[in-house]
Amino acid sequence: MTAPLRASDLITVNVALGTRAYDIAIGRGLIATLGERIARLRPGCKAAIVTDETVARHHLAAAKAALEGAGIGVSSVKVPAGESSKSFRMLEQVCDGLLAARIERGDLVVALGGGVVGDLGGFAASVVRRGVDYVQVPTSLLAQVDSSVGGKTAINARHGKNLIGAFYQPVLVVADTALLDTLPAREFRAGYAEVVKYGLLGDADFFEWLDVNWRDLFAGGPAREHAIAVSCRAKAAIVARDERETGDRMLLNLGHTFGHAFEAAAGFSDRLLHGEAVGLGMTMAFEFSARRGLISQDDATRVIAHLAATGLPTHVKAVPGGNWPTVDAMMDLISQDKKVQRGQLTFILVRGIGQAFVTRDVDAAEVRAFIAEKLGAR
Ligand code: GLY
């Protein structure tokens, strides 16, 4: 792992997808450059900003000013903050807003917000006029290192989360790391779980570096830009190899199979944020791998100690509220995972720190016993 870059350095990561390749620009204060970047990319375009009410209070004025300063006509569509906005109703509202703003094929949608806005705005862009280009301006750590990169867009359905959507790549991602200064600490920490994930799944050196430097990252020092860049580079490489998740991209789901079941059991609520569920799920993936003799208990313990030091929940019992569903209900949630194929569970396990792999060779009874133990057995 190289030394951290200076805070003033702008980092550009390219997502190499042929004619649909795009850049991720990472750095402090980049929102001020949004207009000039977009004007260079699409001379003469109009832009519609899709955002939520909370992000709008903090950052909409700056984004608008940057676009208008570059001579770009801007309109905006606001949705309520929170997961419930990833709905058919809000999709309709956003599409209506984009059409009312006369956004045409040569124009741009700008998704300004966290994962919810990125998923919803990106999906609306993919269907309005059969597709208009969009730019991601992620405002949460989780969105900067994960959801804004790679073109997964979606809303939720009655049958589950993210079940209606499209792979639709943005034309640019602008990650202004200063926007993270206003994030609540809990949300920042939850996003950090997705940062550690890149070390744990494929880059042991990055994990070692994070173990030393995570405090600087949280404090907003130069480690923050460096960690976001390493994460985006890792994700860009995986997406370039497997855009539509038929192989390697599944590795990005490390911690998500166990984590998602707990997130669903908690009702996708504030009780357990997505990133917290991923942290918890990674703890379980490492413990489960150790139990199968794939890695040493020492390695699993090191990973869990790191996650715990940052304040992430590393045990089901640390999640407030108690009262988890029965083991059978948890198994039902696990078997509804999108990675299930022909009834077979898919797990991302590890052969070491930085050595994740995808496996279908996991017996449901073994998972059941493990979950029962975690829940304190019922
Ligand atoms: N968040 C996982 C992926 O983008 O594939």
Side-chain angles (χ1 to χ4, degrees), residues 146 149 152 197 235 245 249 252-253:
D146 183 35
V149 176
K152 278 190 181 174
K197 183 185 79 178
K235 178 147 191 188
E245 201 172 18
R249 188 164 181 168
L252 296 174
N253 292 317

Side-chain angles (χ1 to χ4, degrees), residues 140-143 145-146 183-197 218 256 270 272-280 282 307 310-313:
S140 69
L141 179 58
L142 187 135
V145 297
D146 183 35
L183 271 192
R186 183 180 174 200
E187 215 185 297
F188 189 92
R189 196 184 304 125
Y192 178 73
E194 299 275 7
V195 174
V196 192
K197 183 185 79 178
F218 276 60
H256 285 61
D270 272 3
L272 186 65
L273 303 179
H274 175 70
E276 292 172 337
V278 170
L280 181 63
M282 290 193 298
L307 294 171
T310 68
L312 283 163

